[in-house]
Amino acid sequence: SMLPTRRFFNTMLDDAHLVIRCRLSDLSRRVSEGRLFNQMLDMLKFYSGFEINDQTGLALTDHDMLDYHYNSITSLQRAAFKHFEELQPFAMSNVASIDKRESLLNHFKPLTFVL
């Protein structure tokens, strides 16, 4: 009964980008007031990203986790290639050169934010 709950919770967590939004919030940047919030956020990130297959309940190996990471980046590259002409250099880069936050931010600078 825990696997369906985990599947649902992780889907909702990923869809809402909760951890990312919380990390970028003002509360997480405050040193004294945000300490407990950041500790709880670290625990949420750890347990939600625990290396267990959500479908089978089996433990994932390091290789499985690396495959999942590379598949996520490759999926993002395909979407960028298809929908954003200004992101062609990003779409054509190898995964190892773009899997860090700093390199992603450099590639996404040409985009403009429109509400």
Side-chain angles (χ1 to χ4, degrees):
S1 76
M2 291 181 74
L3 278 179
T5 304
R6 177 184 170 82
R7 245 178 278 157
F8 175 77
F9 180 74
N10 282 343
T11 302
M12 295 301 293
L13 194 69
D14 289 343
D15 186 54
H17 305 288
L18 183 70
V19 174
I20 296 167
R21 289 175 187 235
C22 288
R23 281 284 175 224
L24 296 174
S25 71
D26 289 334
L27 181 59
S28 72
R29 293 184 186 142
R30 296 183 198 155
V31 177
S32 59
E33 297 95 353
R35 194 174 124 255
L36 179 60
F37 178 72
N38 283 323
Q39 288 173 347
M40 291 171 58
L41 194 56
D42 288 338
M43 286 193 322
L44 175 64
K45 185 177 178 183
F46 174 77
Y47 286 113
S48 67
F50 208 67
E51 299 169 351
I52 294 176
N53 185 319
D54 287 340
Q55 306 302 318
T56 63
L58 299 174
L60 296 174
T61 64
D62 289 340
H63 180 69
D64 294 335
M65 292 300 293
L66 192 61
D67 279 347
Y68 176 76
H69 173 70
Y70 280 2
N71 288 337
S72 297
I73 296 291
T74 305
S75 176
L76 178 63
Q77 284 180 298
R78 274 190 239 114
F81 183 80
K82 185 176 181 181
H83 299 290
F84 300 97
E85 188 174 312
E86 60 271 19
L87 290 179
Q88 293 300 314
F90 167 75
M92 298 306 218
S93 300
N94 69 13
V95 174
S97 69
I98 58 170
D99 68 346
K100 301 287 185 242
R101 177 179 164 81
E102 298 80 27
S103 60
L104 287 174
L105 289 175
N106 285 335
H107 281 287
F108 291 157
K109 279 182 184 176
L111 296 179
T112 56
F113 183 69
V114 177
L115 290 176

